[in-house]
Structure formats: C-alpha cells, structure tokens
Amino acid sequence: MRSLAPTVICMALATRPVKGTAPGKRPSPARSLWDSTIGKKTVMAVSGLIMLGYLVAHMIGNLKVFFGPDEMNAYARFLRTMGEPVLHHEWALWLVRIVLVAAVVGHAVSAYQLSRRDIKARPQKYVHKRKRASYATRTMRWGGIILALFIVWHILDLTTGTVHPGEFEHLHPYQNLIDTFSTWYGNVIYIVAVSAVGLHVRHGFWSAAQTLGVGNARRERLLKLIANTLALVLTLGFVSVPVAVMTGVVS
Amino acid sequence: MKLTLRVWRQKNAGADGAMSTYEVDGISQDMSFLEMLDTLNEELILKGEDPVAFDHDCREGICGACSLVINGDAHGPERTTTCQLHMRSFDDGDTIDIEPWRASAFPVVKDLVVDRSAFDRIIQAGGYITAPTGAAPEAHATPVPKPDADFAFEHAECIGCGACVAACPNGSAMLFTSAKVNHLNVLPQGSPERETRVLDMVGQMDDEGFGGCTLTGECATACPKGIPLPSIAAMNKEWLRANRKAAKR
Ligand code: HEM
Ligand code: SF4
Ligand code: FES
C-alpha cells in the first residue's frame, strides 16, 4: 500500500527542482506569507484571534450594564483615560482601534481573496448532490459578510451616533444602548449578528489552531471544547444585554 | 443485478459533456465496480459505440490510478478505491451516477479520465530526497524513533489518487501535499531538504490552481488510505517553521 514511496525516492536522482522553484526564484518570506494559501490563512487566523480576544473583553465590559448607569458610564470614561499618564488622553483607545481596523481589513481581504480562489478551483459542481458533512465553510462566508455589515452599523449606531435612534449622548453608553434595544430592528440586527459571531467562532477558533499548526490528533477534543465554550459564552454574554432591555431588567 | 447508470460523457477536453444513461444487466455482486464498467464497455463496443473512458491500473488498491465520483462520493460509498469497491455495495435496480473528479487543476481529458499531472509537478517540486541512496542500506544504520516511523508510514500510504481534491468543495490539494511533506520531513533521510521541500511543494500546489483549505474535512472522509485531517495542521506547522527560518537567513 505504499507504492509512491519507492518511486519518490528513485525520482530524486533523475529529477531536479522544476520551473519556478530554483532557490534564487523562491519568493521572499514576507511575499510568501501574503501570496500563498497557507500564508493568507495565517493572516486570517492571527487577525481572527486578535478580534476574538477583543470580543471577549468587549463582552465582559458590556456586562457592566447590569450594575447601573453610573458604573457603565464610568467604564466608558475609563476607556478614554486608560494608559494615562504614560499615554496622552485616548491614545490607548486609539491604539486598540488601529489594531482592530488592521485586523478587520487583513481578515476581510484575505477572506475575499481566498474565497475567490476556492470558487475558481472548483468551477463545476457534481450532478449528483449529496448532503455535505459540514456547513462550516458556507457558514463562515455568509457569517463573515453579516459580521462585516454589522460592524459598520454598530459603529455608526453606538460609537459615532450617526444612525442612532433617539438622542445620542457621547460617553453615556447606558442610555444609548437602551435607545437601540428599544427598537425592534436594533434587537433583530444585534441578535442575528452575535449569533453569527457564535457560529463563526465555533469553526474559526478550531480552524485557527489547525492553521497555526497547534492542532493534532490528541488535542482535537480539547480544541473543539474550547471553541464551543468560547462561542457559547460569547453569544450568551452579548445576547444578555438586549434581552435585559427587552424584559425591563435594564431600563 | 440490473442497474441504470448515468455516466458523464465528454469527447475531449474542449468538448461539452453531459450525463448519458445506460442499462446494464447480469451484474454479479462479486464484480468490482470497474468490472461492472468493463461489462458496459463490452456491450458498447459490440453495438459499435464509443466505450466509456476511465482510469485504472493495478486494480488492487495500491496504484492510485482509478478514480470516479460515484453517487456524489469520491471512490463511492465505501472507504476504499473504486477498483476495490464491489457491487455488493449496491442493490438490484439502483441508479448510479458516475462523474469524473471535478477541479480546475484536474481538467477532464475524456469521459471520466482527468489529467492529474498537477500532482506529479507537486512531487517534482520537492517530494524526494537528494541523498544518493544506492542499494537498500542496513536497516539499523539510521535509527528512526518508533513514533516518527509510524507517522512517516501513515503518510506514505497516500497513493496520489486525488480523491481528496475531488471531495473538497474548494478543490484543495492540501491533504495530498501534507501526506507527501509529512512523510519525508519527519525522517532523517528527508531532513536536509526539510524547509525547501514544504515551501516549494506548497508553492507548486498554489501555482497549479488548487484552492485553499477551509478545514471542511471532506478530504479526509474521502481518502481511501485514511490520511487524517490533522496532517494538514502538521504541514502548516512545517510551512510556518520553514518560512520563519527563511526570514532569519
Ligand atoms: C469583517 C468581517 C469578517 C469576515 C468577512 C470574516 C470571514 C471569514 C471567513 C470567510 C473565514 C474562513 C476563511 C477560510 O477558511 O478560508 C473566516 C475565518 C475565521 N474568522 Fe472571520 N470573518 C469576519 C469577522 C471575524 C471576527 C469578528 C472574528 C473574531 C471572533 C473572526 C474570527 C475568525 C477566525 C478565528 C477564523 C479562522 C481562521 C483560520 O481558519 O485559520 N472573524 N472568517
Ligand atoms: S491523501 Fe488520500 S485521497 Fe488524497 S491523493 Fe493521497 S490517498 Fe488519495
Ligand atoms: S486501479 Fe490501482 S488503486 Fe485502483
């Protein structure tokens, strides 16, 4: 059952590297990180994990809403003053924002390029359709698009206030989020998006481990367990806020 | 057994193809899937029609020549090669859909035959060792730890059939390439080219137009030799290591 093994070794003497692979022509490490499929996936995995880390912190921060307007609003002020006096006012916050924008852009551009390549590599469908074992891939793509749209809406709603329903008050997130979650569409958009986050993280966290070469047969169950736990905790934590507003727990 | 076959017919690489329907009778449960197709072809030849072209060679599950997507599954419903698939896996009266491997890197040559030379070029890019080997050396001359030997053997089982590419929704060749890279990279004999092998083989894989990996896992489910999905993670690790080392130089 090992027919290729001897062939491969015999070929060594007869065959030298073929076109495009002579050492001089090998692309630079930075180039191959951006050009190769494995490199692009690495960009996706690292940027995804950065966003995941941020989401965990963000979700925990949101839970402050349960401790009243003063604590929540004080937290918002802290986000501007953190890093002082070493850093100037709001510098730390802007640093986080820059890293996040870089992560979102790197992630989305790689996702777009890889998806285009994947579709081109398999142009013809099979006539005989069968149930695929996993919806992972398709969920990742539409889930990613939902997330991208959500991120734009979310910033325009609660950061800049551009599309905010009602009176947007800077540094008063408690009042602002009650406005948003008092509209039906605010709740719908938000709950759909955080559910998409859950699905995305469920496949994404485990995938990132494989991409970065951390996954192996022994760690499989542990990695899936962490992925599922993260997905569930994130979604429940985020969903708790609109649910609290809807049920009047937070008002 | 009496069966209805719906087979992809395509005159040549440039022509449009379509599914054609054929009836075959007198099929024994003990025939292999390829013998069943031989029966169809004998009938077609007697009728003066063009027989269905399909790839095969050893017919004992070791060469990797046979292919076919049968009812949507690469190599059919059992986890084996099409040549080792037997008609007892089907029922009398079944309709069976037979299609070629689908991937832009595997263009159809005729009917069910696809051009898999992209795999050969991936092997040429680094799937070998450069040490002159000569006759078989004394087995204990180069000790290999047991776990490494097992790991190498597991990956050496890949027969290069391409079922992984055919099953992948992205037409990705990551499972095949990882089997080849892992097989040689873990062994002392393969270590002099450890970095260039993975960089060059992955580079060639991308150049051939295979898709990327979304870790869907269809490849490992289809593989007749049981190359496991974590092999891809192991190759990613090798690639990242090689790229880091290249950056330091
Ligand atoms: C801009 C919005 C987003 C888009 C368009 C997007 C799209 C995608 C797509 C298509 C994939 C699969 C790529 C592939 O397998 O080839 C993916 C993977 C992933 N995403 Fe996102 N995503 C977005 C936002 C997020 C967010 C907010 C997170 C953080 C939780 C995240 C974390 C991940 C992770 C960890 C992976 C796995 C990377 C890997 O397979 O190595 N993504 N994303
Ligand atoms: S990895 Fe499995 S399915 Fe892919 S070419 Fe090798 S033997 Fe065939
Ligand atoms: S004909 Fe050789 S593996 Fe099937």
Side-chain angles (χ1 to χ4, degrees), chain B residues 34 55-67 75 81-84 159:
Chain B
L34 297 185
D55 265 326
H56 61 105
D57 189 12
C58 69
R59 295 206 177 198
E60 52 185 59
I62 58 170
C63 74
C66 61
S67 57
H75 289 304
T81 54
T82 295
C83 59
Q84 290 295 299
I159 54 176

Coordinates of all heavy atoms in Angstrom, one line a residue, chain B residues 34 55-67 75 81-84 159, ligand 3:
Chain B
L34 N -15.2 -1.6 -11.3 CA -14.6 -1.4 -12.7 C -14.9 -2.6 -13.6 O -15.1 -2.4 -14.8 CB -13.0 -1.3 -12.5 CG -12.5 -0.1 -11.7 CD1 -11.0 0.0 -11.8 CD2 -13.1 1.2 -12.3
D55 N -9.9 5.7 -15.9 CA -8.5 5.3 -15.5 C -8.5 4.1 -14.6 O -9.4 4.0 -13.7 CB -7.9 6.5 -14.7 CG -7.1 7.4 -15.6 OD1 -6.5 6.9 -16.6 OD2 -7.1 8.6 -15.4
H56 N -7.5 3.3 -14.7 CA -7.3 2.1 -13.8 C -6.0 1.5 -14.2 O -5.4 1.8 -15.2 CB -8.4 1.1 -14.0 CG -8.4 0.5 -15.4 ND1 -8.0 -0.7 -15.7 CD2 -8.8 1.1 -16.6 CE1 -8.1 -0.9 -17.0 NE2 -8.6 0.2 -17.6
D57 N -5.4 0.8 -13.2 CA -4.1 0.1 -13.5 C -4.0 -1.1 -12.6 O -4.3 -2.2 -13.1 CB -3.0 1.1 -13.3 CG -1.7 0.5 -13.8 OD1 -1.7 -0.5 -14.5 OD2 -0.6 1.1 -13.4
C58 N -3.7 -1.0 -11.4 CA -3.4 -2.2 -10.6 C -4.6 -3.0 -10.3 O -4.6 -4.2 -10.1 CB -2.7 -1.8 -9.3 SG -3.7 -0.9 -8.1
R59 N -5.7 -2.3 -10.1 CA -7.0 -2.9 -9.6 C -6.8 -3.7 -8.3 O -7.6 -4.6 -8.0 CB -7.6 -3.8 -10.7 CG -7.9 -3.0 -12.0 CD -9.0 -3.7 -12.8 NE -9.4 -2.9 -13.9 CZ -10.5 -3.0 -14.6 NH1 -11.4 -4.0 -14.2 NH2 -10.8 -2.3 -15.6
E60 N -5.8 -3.3 -7.5 CA -5.8 -3.9 -6.2 C -5.6 -2.8 -5.1 O -5.1 -3.1 -4.0 CB -4.7 -5.0 -6.1 CG -3.3 -4.6 -6.6 CD -2.3 -5.7 -6.7 OE1 -2.6 -6.7 -7.3 OE2 -1.3 -5.6 -6.0
G61 N -5.9 -1.6 -5.5 CA -6.0 -0.6 -4.4 C -4.7 0.0 -4.0 O -4.5 0.6 -3.0
I62 N -3.6 -0.1 -4.9 CA -2.3 0.4 -4.5 C -1.7 1.4 -5.4 O -0.7 2.0 -5.1 CB -1.3 -0.7 -4.2 CG1 -1.1 -1.6 -5.5 CG2 -1.7 -1.6 -3.1 CD1 0.0 -2.5 -5.4
C63 N -2.2 1.6 -6.6 CA -1.5 2.5 -7.5 C -2.1 3.9 -7.6 O -1.3 4.8 -7.9 CB -1.5 1.9 -8.9 SG -3.1 2.0 -9.8
G64 N -3.3 4.1 -7.3 CA -3.9 5.4 -7.3 C -4.4 5.8 -8.6 O -4.7 7.0 -8.8
A65 N -4.5 4.9 -9.6 CA -4.9 5.3 -10.9 C -6.4 5.5 -11.0 O -6.9 6.3 -11.7 CB -4.4 4.3 -12.0
C66 N -7.2 4.6 -10.4 CA -8.6 4.7 -10.5 C -9.2 5.9 -9.8 O -8.6 6.4 -8.9 CB -9.3 3.4 -10.1 SG -9.0 3.0 -8.3
S67 N -10.4 6.3 -10.3 CA -11.0 7.5 -9.7 C -12.5 7.3 -9.6 O -12.9 6.3 -9.1 CB -10.6 8.7 -10.5 OG -10.9 8.6 -11.8
H75 N -14.7 7.8 -5.1 CA -14.4 6.3 -4.9 C -15.7 5.6 -4.3 O -15.6 4.5 -3.8 CB -13.3 6.0 -3.9 CG -11.9 6.4 -4.4 ND1 -11.4 5.8 -5.6 CD2 -10.9 7.1 -3.9 CE1 -10.2 6.3 -5.8 NE2 -9.8 7.0 -4.8
T81 N -10.7 2.3 -2.6 CA -10.5 2.8 -4.0 C -11.7 2.2 -4.9 O -12.2 1.1 -4.5 CB -9.2 2.4 -4.6 OG1 -9.1 0.9 -4.5 CG2 -8.1 3.0 -3.9
T82 N -12.0 2.8 -6.0 CA -13.0 2.4 -6.8 C -12.8 0.9 -7.3 O -13.7 0.1 -7.5 CB -13.2 3.3 -8.0 OG1 -13.6 4.6 -7.5 CG2 -14.2 2.8 -9.1
C83 N -11.5 0.6 -7.6 CA -11.2 -0.8 -8.0 C -11.5 -1.8 -7.0 O -11.7 -3.0 -7.3 CB -9.7 -0.9 -8.5 SG -8.5 -0.5 -7.2
Q84 N -11.5 -1.4 -5.7 CA -11.7 -2.3 -4.6 C -13.2 -2.2 -4.1 O -13.5 -2.9 -3.1 CB -10.8 -2.1 -3.5 CG -9.3 -2.5 -3.8 CD -9.2 -4.0 -4.0 OE1 -9.4 -4.7 -3.1 NE2 -8.8 -4.4 -5.2
I159 N -1.6 7.2 -2.0 CA -1.4 6.7 -3.3 C -1.6 7.7 -4.4 O -1.5 7.4 -5.6 CB -2.3 5.5 -3.6 CG1 -3.8 5.8 -3.4 CG2 -1.9 4.3 -2.8 CD1 -4.7 4.7 -3.8
Ligands
FES3 S1 -6.6 0.7 -10.1 FE1 -4.8 1.0 -8.8 S2 -5.7 1.8 -7.0 FE2 -7.5 1.4 -8.2

